[in-house]
Amino acid sequence: GYGPSVDDQSYMLAHRAHLKECLELGEAVRRAGGWRSYCMLPHRELLRLRSLRARGRAQPAPATPRHIDLLLKPGLENGVLWHVLSFAWETG
């Protein structure tokens, strides 16, 4: 007949949370403009935070690890940060 079979429906009910997560991931990728853009979001967020810090609009928390603090300091060249980020999150 038309529509999912009983087996398909029971599978979908049993895996509803996973299906929801997959759909949410697909929606997030679409909103970002594609997979590469989605993968670059953490990079952009760190650069935004670094920019806010350079303008005095953000400060590191006391628990911020020293190596992260050094990466976010305004004196560091953007190219150095991008190079480090290329190892931290593969954007393939």
Side-chain angles (χ1 to χ4, degrees):
Y2 297 103
S5 69
V6 173
D7 289 338
D8 291 339
Q9 290 174 352
S10 62
Y11 177 84
M12 289 185 340
L13 287 174
H15 294 81
R16 186 183 321 200
H18 297 294
L19 292 171
K20 184 179 180 208
E21 289 173 9
C22 289
L23 292 172
E24 289 172 353
L25 174 61
E27 178 61 23
V29 170
R30 187 193 64 74
R31 276 195 316 271
W35 180 252
R36 182 164 173 78
S37 295
Y38 175 78
C39 291
M40 294 296 288
L41 288 176
H43 294 67
R44 284 194 218 117
E45 289 172 0
L46 278 175
L47 289 172
R48 187 177 305 120
L49 180 58
R50 187 167 176 250
S51 173
L52 288 170
R53 185 173 176 188
R55 291 180 279 142
R57 297 185 61 201
Q59 293 299 320
T64 302
R66 186 169 184 275
H67 63 283
I68 299 297
D69 185 47
L70 291 173
L71 286 174
L72 297 179
K73 285 196 181 227
L76 186 71
E77 291 182 28
N78 285 341
V80 174
L81 180 60
W82 276 106
H83 186 70
V84 170
L85 291 176
S86 72
F87 293 101
W89 290 294
E90 183 60 41
T91 57

